[in-house]
Amino acid sequence: SFPTRRSSDLKQIEGSHAMAEAIALCRPEVICAYPITPQTHIVEGLSAMVRDGHLTGCEFINVESEFAALSVAIGSSAAGARTYTATASQGLLFMMEAVYNASGLGLPIVMTLGNRAIGAPINIWNDHSDAMSVRDAGWIMLFAETNQEAVDLHIQAFKLAEELSCPVMVNVDGFILTHAVERVDIPDPEQVDAFLPPFDPVQVLDPASPMSMGAMVGPDAFMEVRYLAHHKQMQALDRIPEIAAEFKAAFGRESGGLIRCYRCDDADTIVVAMGSVVGTLKDMVDTRRAAGDRIGVVSIGAFRPFPLEEVRNALMGARRVVVLEKALAVGMGGILASHVRMALRGHPNRVYTLIAGLGGRPILQPSLNAFMDRVAAEPHYDVHFLDLREDVVEAEIARMAAERRSGPIAENVLRRVAALGQMMLPDAAVTGDRP
């Protein structure tokens, strides 16, 4: 039922459509989704394949909300069907109760998360706020650096989810990946069929053998249930790199895994990050290496389970570690950075948190280079905000202190930015250090 394509062919295609083709090659039996930017093109592509007969044996279910989408996915997976869905941002928050239910029931659902900022204020551009909001919900969480990796990770995700009977979330940066048109290798159906066996569910709802799923569990057993969910994540620490190795053997390219190191062997400074920004960081590393700077990049491919041992081994030789993250734990600082510090506990490495790209703000090479120069030259506070408009922030802080009714912060900031003229990012400047 699939058009034949040589695996050596590179197809010029939008990222979302490439992911849709890869997901279809995994032969899902139920797809249920509600459109929300920036993941809409993925499920639109899949719905067209089902409608046109290119994806057979699959039911595409239109639902009235994101909560309904994952609820339907839970039902279909419990009934024994290979199941897929997708969402982003506020849509993920709307399905939050079901997110926990899916993992608590141990259902091997695969979901794409088109990473996007969470409001208020409303923002449709990319950061990792949505993924970080569910980091402890019990899903395996994989992050794609490129559209080729996004394609490959979905194929690996179905295998991983079904082996462990655990849901898997494939994170792809909204717009940066989902809407980028580039050359991607879409595998042959025969290759995927050989790599991904037919779905053999661990648990199935069968009218001939009635049972309950998701029943009440009291204090006598709840801790054991949660421990077993943790145990699956620990199993994934072994299976993720194994499946990545199997994928390389079958498809001829490296993709996935727990972490990937770039020019780290002799690095005294290593930058840690997740997602598409790693490509920008690699360019920065190449430039600085040419100037004699010993710097490298560690890309986190699996955020859950978090590969503490692998991260520790990769970073132990560095004098300083910069964690660039596209999310902010308000009142605390860096989320990924806290995990890196846990990995490095007992080691003298200095860890810096660099909050960047929130709400889709560009992460520019001049700003990154300026920050790296400052970190190398002098000690700094822990948390930094790349290209923060301090003039706008300080003016709003002063206004809030002077007026009892401060009003809506977002609207006040927008007015001030407009009053100052078109917002321009600082030239090669890093601002916003905080103790």
Side-chain angles (χ1 to χ4, degrees), residues 209-347:
S209 180
M211 63 175 291
S212 295
M213 294 178 66
M216 177 74 73
V217 174
D220 54 333
F222 190 83
M223 184 178 292
E224 288 70 22
V225 172
R226 298 307 295 164
Y227 173 82
L228 290 170
H230 176 71
H231 176 70
K232 288 184 180 181
Q233 294 267 336
M234 296 302 99
Q235 287 181 297
L237 284 174
D238 293 326
R239 283 305 288 147
I240 289 171
E242 290 170 355
I243 288 174
E246 294 166 13
F247 185 91
K248 181 181 179 181
F251 297 89
R253 59 177 173 267
E254 285 195 49
S255 201
L258 296 172
I259 69 169
R260 284 185 302 280
C261 299
Y262 183 74
R263 307 190 75 169
C264 289
D265 289 345
D266 64 340
D268 58 15
T269 300
I270 295 179
V271 185
V272 182
M274 300 188 296
S276 62
V277 73
V278 171
T280 301
L281 293 172
K282 287 178 178 177
D283 289 342
M284 179 194 72
V285 164
D286 290 343
T287 300
R288 296 184 73 88
R289 280 274 178 177
D293 195 358
R294 291 190 298 152
I295 185 171
V297 176
V298 169
S299 172
I300 305 295
F303 183 73
R304 283 292 183 272
F306 192 78
L308 288 169
E309 182 177 352
E310 289 75 11
V311 170
R312 178 168 59 251
N313 291 339
L315 301 180
M316 278 179 59
R319 289 194 297 116
R320 65 183 70 85
V321 176
V322 174
V323 183
L324 188 154
E325 47 191 311
K326 299 169 80 172
L328 171 64
V330 176
M332 192 275 283
I335 300 168
L336 178 57
S338 68
H339 290 61
V340 171
R341 286 191 182 88
M342 184 181 296
L344 289 173
R345 60 191 181 277
H347 293 278

Side-chain angles (χ1 to χ4, degrees), residues 30 32 61 71-84 199:
V30 173
C32 39
I61 302 175
S71 296
V72 169
I74 287 171
S76 64
S77 184
R82 179 174 284 168
T83 301
Y84 171 81
F199 183 31

Side-chain angles (χ1 to χ4, degrees), residues 70-405:
L70 191 51
S71 296
V72 169
I74 287 171
S76 64
S77 184
R82 179 174 284 168
T83 301
Y84 171 81
T85 188
T87 193
S89 188
Q90 262 84 348
L92 179 66
L93 298 188
F94 193 16
M95 62 169 61
M96 184 66 82
E97 180 182 355
V99 169
Y100 276 81
N101 287 342
S103 58
L105 295 172
L107 297 173
I109 299 164
V110 171
M111 177 165 67
T112 307
L113 185 63
N115 298 125
R116 168 186 150 185
I118 289 176
I122 293 295
N123 181 293
I124 66 168
W125 291 273
N126 166 251
D127 64 26
H128 292 163
S129 301
D130 50 4
M132 294 301 100
S133 73
V134 297
R135 62 187 181 274
D136 297 323
W139 288 59
I140 293 170
M141 300 177 70
L142 310 178
F143 279 80
E145 178 186 338
T146 64
N147 276 334
Q148 184 64 69
E149 191 169 35
V151 163
D152 300 343
L153 284 180
H154 281 90
I155 299 169
Q156 296 178 49
F158 279 101
K159 187 168 189 173
L160 180 64
E162 292 167 9
E163 284 191 14
L164 298 180
S165 198
C166 180
V168 177
M169 185 182 301
V170 180
N171 289 270
V172 294
D173 284 343
F175 297 105
I176 300 171
L177 296 183
T178 59
H179 289 58
V181 177
E182 57 188 21
R183 294 185 300 168
V184 177
D185 182 357
I186 308 293
D188 287 336
E190 295 78 12
Q191 286 182 296
V192 178
D193 288 343
F195 179 80
L196 179 64
F199 183 31
D200 182 18
V202 173
Q203 50 191 354
V204 181
L205 288 174
D206 183 358
S209 180
M211 63 175 291
S212 295
M213 294 178 66
M216 177 74 73
V217 174
D220 54 333
F222 190 83
M223 184 178 292
E224 288 70 22
V225 172
R226 298 307 295 164
Y227 173 82
L228 290 170
H230 176 71
H231 176 70
K232 288 184 180 181
Q233 294 267 336
M234 296 302 99
Q235 287 181 297
L237 284 174
D238 293 326
R239 283 305 288 147
I240 289 171
E242 290 170 355
I243 288 174
E246 294 166 13
F247 185 91
K248 181 181 179 181
F251 297 89
R253 59 177 173 267
E254 285 195 49
S255 201
L258 296 172
I259 69 169
R260 284 185 302 280
C261 299
Y262 183 74
R263 307 190 75 169
C264 289
D265 289 345
D266 64 340
D268 58 15
T269 300
I270 295 179
V271 185
V272 182
M274 300 188 296
S276 62
V277 73
V278 171
T280 301
L281 293 172
K282 287 178 178 177
D283 289 342
M284 179 194 72
V285 164
D286 290 343
T287 300
R288 296 184 73 88
R289 280 274 178 177
D293 195 358
R294 291 190 298 152
I295 185 171
V297 176
V298 169
S299 172
I300 305 295
F303 183 73
R304 283 292 183 272
F306 192 78
L308 288 169
E309 182 177 352
E310 289 75 11
V311 170
R312 178 168 59 251
N313 291 339
L315 301 180
M316 278 179 59
R319 289 194 297 116
R320 65 183 70 85
V321 176
V322 174
V323 183
L324 188 154
E325 47 191 311
K326 299 169 80 172
L328 171 64
V330 176
M332 192 275 283
I335 300 168
L336 178 57
S338 68
H339 290 61
V340 171
R341 286 191 182 88
M342 184 181 296
L344 289 173
R345 60 191 181 277
H347 293 278
N349 319 60
R350 181 68 190 269
V351 179
Y352 299 90
T353 304
L354 182 60
I355 307 296
L358 297 187
R361 180 164 294 186
I363 299 175
L364 304 177
Q365 294 273 358
S367 297
L368 288 172
N369 280 311
F371 175 76
M372 299 308 301
D373 289 342
R374 290 179 59 194
V375 165
E378 59 187 58
H380 290 281
Y381 294 121
D382 169 52
V383 181
H384 310 259
F385 294 83
L386 191 71
D387 289 336
L388 180 71
R389 285 291 302 272
E390 284 194 337
D391 54 348
V392 173
V393 170
E394 290 172 357
E396 180 62 12
I397 291 172
R399 191 196 60 77
M400 288 190 294
E403 299 178 13
R404 180 179 177 187
R405 298 185 182 276

Side-chain angles (χ1 to χ4, degrees), residues 15-33:
S16 292
H17 293 152
M19 286 178 249
E21 290 197 19
I23 293 158
L25 290 170
C26 296
R27 303 186 187 276
E29 297 166 288
V30 173
I31 299 171
C32 39

